[in-house]
Amino acid sequence: MESIQSQVPSVALFVTRSEIDFTHRSPSPICQRWFMVLYLKSEAKELALTVYPVNMKNPEQEFKKAYNSNPPVVVFDELNDKTSQTVLTDNRDIDAEISKRFPVTNMSSLKEAEDVCSNVYIKFHPYLKSPSGDPQEQMKLRSLLSELKRINDYLEEMGTQYLSGNEMTFVDCDIMPKLQHIRVAGKYY
């Protein structure tokens, strides 16, 4: 009997490697988003996922030669033709291809949930990059806290576990790594 792995398409995800622990993924929100999405699809047995951390300070020659891009890079092996691959590096293309190839687990997000989350990282960067003693620092912090409150209020209003319902969707996979960055940096600042 064939294993599940051979009955589902193989997907390789190349992500930036951690600078601290060379065997793990970096905290890149974009790489983390695609890892989360593909992991959920893998858990649903829609695909077999393999993750490759790439040292971007000194990328492996095979990676540079084959993909000539920065992570994330997603490589889809064709199920019927093991020698054929589809390589994607653009986030919109990755999103469209995942949705097209693996429709069983619906990860579509509510537009309203996407709108609520759209500015939180934009507000985080100015606050994070504020020099010590910046007279605008408190305003930047209030702006960030306002965006975080919007997300919290939306979740309370929805009464669901995640932003678009009780199952994770693309918007959850997008915002969670960003919120983790804010949580970690918030402890430092």
Side-chain angles (χ1 to χ4, degrees):
M1 185 166 144
E2 282 188 90
S3 72
I4 293 258
Q5 298 284 14
S6 64
Q7 296 174 359
V8 296
S10 294
V11 176
L13 172 64
F14 293 86
V15 297
T16 52
R17 184 179 79 186
S18 170
E19 295 295 315
I20 298 167
D21 179 352
F22 296 149
T23 62
H24 288 86
R25 302 174 305 276
S26 79
S28 160
I30 296 169
C31 291
Q32 289 291 327
R33 170 186 16 166
W34 293 122
F35 170 74
M36 290 174 70
V37 167
L38 291 169
Y39 180 80
L40 290 170
K41 297 284 188 177
S42 176
E43 284 293 299
K45 308 287 189 249
E46 289 186 72
L47 57 91
L49 176 63
T50 306
V51 180
Y52 298 98
V54 178
N55 176 2
M56 291 313 297
K57 289 185 177 178
N58 186 20
E60 292 79 4
Q61 288 301 316
E62 298 84 26
F63 178 81
K64 283 182 9 183
K65 186 185 284 186
Y67 306 116
N68 193 29
S69 180
N70 288 329
V73 174
V74 179
V75 180
F76 299 96
D77 285 339
E78 301 303 329
L79 194 56
N80 299 330
D81 181 5
K82 297 292 182 190
T83 62
S84 180
Q85 295 181 327
T86 301
V87 177
L88 299 172
T89 58
D90 179 79
N91 284 313
R92 283 184 227 111
D93 294 340
I94 294 170
D95 185 5
E97 195 68 20
I98 289 172
S99 296
K100 180 178 90 177
R101 284 179 184 247
F102 310 111
V104 175
T105 306
N106 182 3
M107 296 197 60
S108 299
S109 302
L110 297 174
K111 177 75 172 121
E112 187 178 47
E114 292 172 2
D115 291 343
V116 165
C117 296
S118 64
N119 288 330
V120 72
Y121 217 56
I122 293 168
K123 303 295 183 177
F124 172 58
H125 276 277
Y127 174 68
L128 184 65
K129 296 188 185 258
S130 292
S132 182
D134 181 357
Q136 301 286 315
E137 183 177 7
Q138 287 304 308
M139 182 191 69
K140 293 173 185 176
L141 176 59
R142 280 193 303 276
S143 183
L144 171 60
L145 292 174
S146 173
E147 290 301 315
L148 292 170
K149 185 173 178 351
R150 280 184 65 209
I151 294 171
N152 192 59
D153 291 348
Y154 178 79
L155 274 169
E156 285 181 2
E157 179 184 312
M158 289 292 290
T160 57
Q161 189 171 2
Y162 299 103
L163 290 162
S164 290
N166 287 318
E167 301 292 328
M168 286 184 70
T169 63
F170 281 119
V171 73
D172 299 299
C173 293
D174 184 55
I175 196 66
M176 284 183 182
K178 294 173 181 177
L179 291 174
Q180 174 66 1
H181 272 210
I182 293 168
R183 187 183 72 79
V184 170
K187 285 182 180 179
Y188 178 76
Y189 291 95

